[in-house]
Amino acid sequence: MASDELASKLTRRLKIEEGAEEPVSLTGTQDGVGGRSEEEKPATANADSELGAKLLRRTDINDGVAEHQQPSKKVFNPYTEFKEFSRKQIKDMEKMFKQYDAGKDGFIDLMELKLMMEKLGAPQTHLGLKNMIKEVDEDFDGKLSFREFLLIFRKAAAGELPEDSGLHVLARLSEIDVSTEGVKGAKTFFEAKVHAITESNRFEAEIRQEQEEKKKEAEDKKQRQAAFKDLKSAFK
């Protein structure tokens, strides 16, 4: 079986590393004839050790001793992380983000940001665009995720952006009201509790308002369909 052959190779590799067995030289691989120099040996040994560890883990997985480790994925919820903004504000920001995410990959890259600033009437230099991304690029991937896009408006609302910066211009020209809402910095526990209740009530009220708007749209659509049917039957 493949796992048995892999285990055999791993065992031999470990014996060679421990000095219990001599490696077999292949023709044409001696020093000076296609062989490795002395300087390459330490790096090769480290690579072999790393490979050995990977092979050992793969063998354990095949034998059922170890399990695959899935990378942890933290779910990003803008409504809970950016509580200073209302649901409507966040939805407006999301709409704008998707509008300029031409690649539809969930990011705004340098060229997409360039197009955005040009459409907003505030074109930036290549260096200026890179600095804009750099200021909120937390994962250093050279592009803006939706969370990093929201950070622009958080900084703007908190007055942390210089007036001559590209991000400040973006926030100002976006036609999205980023003024902070609610009480900030409660002085007492009682004030903090009241603020928490207020925030919860506001959040629930916004959801109810969205539901009522969707319900009204559905009713209007139903009425239009009924009116169309009546009109259609009148011509029969």
Side-chain angles (χ1 to χ4, degrees), residues 3-199:
S3 59
D4 295 335
E5 182 180 354
L6 186 62
S8 176
K9 290 182 179 180
L10 175 60
T11 302
R12 175 168 171 72
R13 169 60 60 186
L14 293 176
K15 287 181 178 180
I16 292 174
E17 290 181 357
E18 293 171 357
E21 188 173 332
E22 292 295 329
V24 178
S25 299
L26 300 177
T27 305
T29 59
Q30 298 296 327
D31 290 345
V33 187
R36 297 172 180 170
S37 64
E38 290 297 326
E39 290 78 3
E40 290 177 313
K41 290 182 179 179
T44 305
N46 292 335
D48 288 344
S49 298
E50 183 178 354
L51 178 61
K54 291 181 179 179
L55 289 174
L56 181 60
R57 172 158 178 78
R58 171 58 58 188
T59 303
D60 290 343
I61 292 174
N62 292 339
D63 294 342
V65 178
E67 296 180 355
H68 287 283
Q69 292 181 350
Q70 297 294 337
S72 59
K73 295 183 179 179
K74 183 180 179 181
V75 179
F76 165 56
N77 188 334
Y79 302 109
T80 57
E81 186 169 346
F82 291 83
K83 294 182 178 179
E84 64 266 39
F85 300 129
S86 66
R87 286 177 62 86
K88 183 180 183 304
Q89 287 174 320
I90 293 178
K91 284 183 176 295
D92 288 343
M93 296 175 202
E94 184 179 18
K95 182 179 179 181
M96 182 181 184
F97 181 85
K98 290 181 177 180
Q99 177 184 349
Y100 291 102
D101 177 18
K104 305 302 177 187
D105 59 353
F107 297 93
I108 292 180
D109 60 25
L110 189 69
M111 294 307 296
E112 290 167 341
L113 181 60
K114 179 178 183 293
L115 179 61
M116 176 191 292
M117 298 306 294
E118 288 175 352
K119 287 192 173 183
L120 290 175
Q124 303 288 311
T125 64
H126 186 78
L127 180 60
L129 293 167
K130 292 183 71 173
N131 287 335
M132 287 175 64
I133 294 177
K134 185 178 180 181
E135 191 163 351
V136 290
D137 187 13
E138 294 187 327
D139 54 6
F140 307 106
D141 60 356
K143 51 189 177 181
L144 299 177
S145 64
F146 180 51
R147 183 183 182 281
E148 291 166 342
F149 187 71
L150 290 177
L151 288 176
I152 298 173
F153 297 94
R154 169 177 281 177
K155 287 176 175 287
E160 297 177 359
L161 298 176
E163 292 188 4
D164 59 346
S165 71
L167 293 185
H168 184 272
V169 174
L170 188 158
R172 180 170 54 83
L173 296 177
S174 65
E175 297 183 355
I176 297 174
D177 180 15
V178 295
S179 59
T180 54
E181 301 177 4
V183 181
K184 295 295 180 183
K187 297 179 181 179
T188 65
F189 175 77
F190 177 74
E191 288 182 5
K193 290 291 290 183
V194 171
H195 177 54
I197 294 173
T198 302
E199 286 292 314

Side-chain angles (χ1 to χ4, degrees), residues 207-222:
I207 293 179
R208 284 197 300 269
Q209 183 179 355
E210 288 181 7
Q211 292 174 342
E212 290 174 0
E213 290 176 354
K214 289 181 180 179
K215 184 178 179 181
K216 186 176 183 303
E217 289 177 0
E219 291 176 352
D220 291 342
K221 183 178 180 180
K222 187 177 180 180

